[in-house]
Amino acid sequence: MTATHPAAETGARERTRRAILDAAVVVLAKSPTAPLSEIADRARVGRTTLHRYFPERGDLLAAVGRYGEQAMAEAGARADLASGDGLDAVLRLCQEYFELSDVLTVAFFAAGINDQDICFSDSTVVDAVERGRHDGSIDRELDAAWIINMMWAVLYASVDHVNTGAAGRMKVQSMTLRSVRKAIAAQQ
């Protein structure tokens, strides 16, 4: 009998867990009420395997919410919010978030996830907005909370626009960045 190395088992378990979460995001983005069997099929695991990781649908949805928060935090890190003027930092963040359209679709529209207390912004976002207000790149008359809420409203509209097929991803991304820029940039 061959002993299984604990690290290999943990790595395999983590890959399976990640495959289930990736599949859940893709499937739920297209159909927020999709059955767990569809998610298991997309992840290429049996339904019993899915239930070993996530015994109830609510457990999976909670994990997808945490997965989304992590993906958004990673997007914030890639946007390098501490660099450049505040407006450019916010626009880089919007571009990174736009790339998470399936994650955002699930966060915005999937029952059981959209009612979770998902953290959509952190202090680095507020800091970037405040920096922009002070460096003159962002309109000083708009407060940070307003700007962040407006950014999320535009991202919501963007995700919906792509999902309904109203325009292609590249066109919507361009319109998203243009809209945010026009809405928050300081008047020259």
Side-chain angles (χ1 to χ4, degrees):
M1 181 174 228
T2 306
T4 304
H5 188 272
E9 186 175 310
T10 302
R13 283 189 56 76
E14 183 54 35
R15 282 190 301 277
T16 301
R17 185 178 193 288
R18 177 68 184 237
I20 293 168
L21 291 172
D22 287 341
V25 167
V26 170
V27 169
L28 294 172
K30 290 179 180 32
S31 177
T33 59
L36 294 179
S37 59
E38 192 174 329
I39 294 168
D41 289 346
R42 174 76 186 210
R44 295 188 171 148
V45 300
R47 189 154 174 185
T48 56
T49 298
L50 186 143
H51 283 292
R52 236 178 320 193
Y53 286 81
F54 305 103
E56 302 289 331
R57 184 180 185 86
D59 298 323
L60 176 60
L61 296 178
V64 168
R66 289 188 301 275
Y67 176 83
E69 278 185 324
Q70 180 182 351
M72 287 185 272
E74 290 167 0
R78 284 190 306 274
D80 190 17
L81 295 174
S83 296
D85 67 35
L87 178 62
D88 287 340
V90 170
L91 293 173
R92 283 193 308 274
L93 180 64
C94 287
Q95 189 165 1
E96 288 291 338
Y97 280 167
F98 185 85
E99 294 302 319
L100 300 175
S101 61
D102 281 350
V103 170
L104 295 180
T105 297
V106 171
F108 291 147
F109 301 112
I113 295 173
N114 64 5
D115 56 354
Q116 292 181 36
D117 190 19
I118 295 175
C119 179
F120 283 110
S121 299
D122 63 24
S123 63
T124 62
V125 178
V126 174
D127 292 346
V129 170
E130 288 298 343
R131 187 174 72 252
R133 292 178 70 232
H134 293 293
D135 69 23
S137 62
I138 293 177
D139 187 339
R140 290 184 180 150
E141 296 297 315
L142 304 174
D143 68 35
W146 174 264
I147 290 169
I148 292 167
N149 282 332
M150 189 274 315
M151 176 189 77
W152 281 111
V154 172
L155 285 165
Y156 179 96
S158 300
V159 167
D160 187 57
H161 213 60
V162 169
N163 290 342
T164 60
R169 285 182 54 77
M170 294 303 291
K171 176 70 173 171
V172 173
Q173 183 180 36
S174 176
M175 291 189 303
T176 299
L177 297 175
R178 182 179 176 95
S179 296
V180 172
R181 177 183 294 281
K182 285 184 156 204
I184 70 172
Q187 302 259 333
Q188 300 292 328

